[in-house]
Amino acid sequence: MSIRMNLNRSRLISALTDIFVAESIAVMSVDLGSEWMKIALVKPGVPMEIVLNKESRRKTPVAVCLKENERLFGDSALGVAVKNPKVVYRFLQSILGKTTDNPQVAQYQKHFPEHQLQRDEKRGTVFFKFSDCSTLQRNFWQPIKDAVITVPAYFNQAERRAVLQAAHIAGLKVLQLINDNTAVALNYGVFRRKDINSTAQNILFYDMGSGSTTATIVTYQTVKTKESGTQPQLQIHGVGFDRTLGGFEMELRLRDHLAKHFNEQKKSKKDVRENLRAMAKLLKEAQRLKTVLSANAEHMAQIEGLMDDIDFKAKVTRSEFEALCEDLFDRVPGPVKEALAAAEMSMDEIEQVILVGGSTRVPKVQDVLLKAVGKEELSKNINADEAAAMGAVYQAAALSKAFKVKPFLVRDAAMFPIQVEFSRETEEEDGIKTMKHNKRILFQRMAPYPQRKVITFNRYMDDFVFYINYGDLGFLSEQDLKVFGSQNLTMVKLSGVGSSFKKHSDAESKGIKAHFNMDESGVLILDRVESVFETIVEEKEEESTLTKLGNTISSLFGGGSSEPNANVTEPVTDEEEVIPEAGKDQDQSEKQEESAQEKPETEEGKEGEPQAEEQKDNKEDEGETDGQKPEEKSDAEKVEEAEADKKSKPQKKSKISEDITVELEVNDVLDPSTEDMEVSKKKLQDLTDRDLEKQEREKTLNSLEAFIFETQDKMYQDEYLAVVTEEEKEQITGKLSEASNWMDEEGYTAGTKELKEKLSELKKLCKAMFFRVEERKKWPDRLAALDSMLNHSTIFLKSVRLIPEGDQIFTEVELKTLERVINETMTWKNETVAEQEKLSPTEKPVLLSKDIEAKRSFLDREVNYL
């Protein structure tokens, strides 16, 4: 018996473990758009799927409402927007990571004049003024923490850092920031893996969302890799964008058009444009109208009680809508031209154009785009709304160690070039010292990432400063440059350079090496800076063949040097060396910069070649010596020759690295301090606690209300009246009436604790009545199951006893044990049923359903065991 119980327990523990492990290894993607947000999920047993929100919708509005002690998200927040637009915040993506002097902040203030935008004095960024809190973040009500988040491809370093910081405050572990256009391309490629071969296929994705438009040229083809053989790959070759071209701008023009119509009707003396609530209603109607006009030539816009209880109705045609947005439609081809220029391609090389994003459903957008690309048709063979979320969740599964997916290589591209700048004092021929400014391109425009780079400073022997800035942004328009923000990223101050030279004065300097990493999220990181030196170590004398063989065998079985040099730096195999600082004048530096860009070398290769050349020179010297005719020499000459031979023995070069202290000074948008982050987390947690408390109160209130109404109804049902005495009935009915009156007078303002106490009191009063009713309901089925088990076990026992003694497989002890259990169960059942029949229905029953089930289960185990 104990063996069987242990097996059942182990199965239960295993099942529970599977459940908890499945929950802990789930990952998600968040497609964070300007108007809508989609979340996709992957967990064991649940392949990639879109998560439904509490309204059972597949997408959620990016909106938050903060009103007194209330916080609402999504559709709930939008419901408040038409009543009180001041407390609802939307379309926040456009001002993410922006300073207050950015044109997009002014544009946001123009679109939403009801909000009070404030300046953060420490960082210069914008924040909202609330009645009881001063920070705003999105909190995901899910236990899942690992996520891949989509961002627009045109997000610069400050904007990407802002998303990562917001996610950190919200308690999310960001596996990667993935560009939304890349996520779409990945989703397209994953489901067409069989169509991808060694021949490059160029596809243009045109994505027009609510707030912006992006055109992306992607090349699909199979490539060979060392790790996993031949695999499909997507590479981003060109990206063009328009930050403000999207459906929201069209809706704003429709809103203003409707406002003009209302004012022209002169039903009110007031200007509707000065009424924030009325304008919020018009914007909501404009959004509906834009959608309807995509399928219909005309439609009637109507709003009940737009302002001062005045109803509004106006007919709007598609041609009117297209006339309102004529200049917007003229900008539709722009991103395509930019993408082609960045990729250095023509439309003839593009196989198909695929539409993505909700705003591409506007017929005029499709007409203009089709004419611009010169194709027969525009492809719509991808889910325009969910492709980015599904592509991102595939990447999340690939990054998670808990899932195994088919490899699909992704080579994203950096939109904006990044360079390193530094100044150095040089001396001219006439002895005059001048400062020369040098630039080194770190990442070119459309450079693939993730990627590591190393830049070497050869001419500094003391502490110095260099700058990390954006490169040439001439491809951006004047307006885009204003929106872009600061073109200076970081000032890097190095200390400890001079001391490293003093410490290793007897070694040859190989320069100050700065190691950069543009990670999977497109964020540039300065990993470390080190001062590298090279020393010459004489090799031991040539060993005999037998000694070499012995050492080799020894090393194979775990032998080898027991004194490794802790300072020796392993060669970097995955870092690319940026042009070394060489040349006396700027022209020479620029020439070397161009040549190095054309033929990049890995750090390993650059450091290995000089060694090879030096070894070759040594061998040549040795060869010349060996080729001379032997001559008779004096003893003194022989001694000198022996010393020379000793000096010309092969020498080994050892590298020594010394870490340099780095101080970073951010020049674009300052990151929030640790204290600020903790304050924001606390405020967010306070809001969360308040929301949870509110939910708990609402849940308790609903439970109490439901219990009162349901129990009052039950007191008129025969099955409940049969099990209560007249005294119990009056007591329960009286308490329910009293609680109902209290609910009407005080209940809806009472606290959670008081509501719980009231509910607990009523449940305790009715507990005995509910128990008696439930038991009487369960008796028939439980007794029938027990009778069936008794019949089955009795027949089984009789059959077993008929087996001849020579063929019997059961012992007499086992059979007697089963017979005893059958008899005991039969006796218990008959006696307990007889005793229960003597009791009144209003008394506590002695025949309990749990006892019946326990007897049946015990008998069932005994039979199954045999």
Side-chain angles (χ1 to χ4, degrees), residues 343-363:
E344 297 180 351
M345 292 183 183
S346 65
M347 277 308 303
D348 295 335
E349 299 173 73
I350 306 299
E351 293 188 13
Q352 59 175 320
V353 178
I354 299 176
L355 297 180
V356 189
S359 296
T360 56
R361 297 188 180 101
V362 175

Side-chain angles (χ1 to χ4, degrees), residues 84-97:
N84 190 359
K86 288 184 179 181
V87 298
V88 179
Y89 304 87
R90 306 167 59 192
F91 296 95
L92 302 173
Q93 190 187 69
S94 62
I95 57 173
L96 191 65

Side-chain angles (χ1 to χ4, degrees), residues 470-591:
Y470 289 105
D472 182 15
L473 300 177
F475 59 91
L476 295 178
S477 66
E478 185 178 347
Q479 181 62 24
D480 283 336
L481 281 173
K482 291 178 181 178
V483 172
F484 189 84
S486 173
Q487 295 184 34
N488 301 321
L489 284 170
T490 310
M491 179 173 72
V492 182
K493 297 179 181 178
L494 302 183
S495 56
V497 176
S499 60
S500 71
F501 274 86
K502 290 177 183 178
K503 185 177 178 181
H504 303 284
S505 57
D506 57 341
E508 180 187 356
S509 172
K510 288 297 179 180
I512 311 300
K513 293 184 179 291
H515 297 257
F516 295 90
N517 175 25
M518 183 169 283
D519 64 13
E520 291 84 355
S521 299
V523 177
L524 182 64
I525 300 167
L526 176 58
D527 278 339
R528 69 188 190 280
V529 179
E530 58 184 358
S531 183
V532 181
F533 299 90
E534 195 174 78
T535 59
I536 298 175
V537 180
E538 288 188 7
E539 288 189 349
K540 294 180 181 179
E541 292 184 5
E542 189 78 17
E543 296 175 331
S544 66
T545 306
L546 284 174
T547 306
K548 283 184 177 180
L549 181 61
N551 289 340
T552 304
I553 294 172
S554 175
S555 66
L556 286 172
F557 288 94
S561 175
S562 60
E563 298 178 357
N565 188 348
N567 286 330
V568 174
T569 305
E570 292 293 329
V572 180
T573 57
D574 61 344
E575 291 182 318
E576 187 175 316
E577 177 80 39
V578 180
I579 329 101
E581 181 197 350
K584 292 183 179 179
D585 55 26
Q586 183 66 19
D587 294 337
Q588 187 175 348
S589 297
E590 289 175 356
K591 287 178 182 176

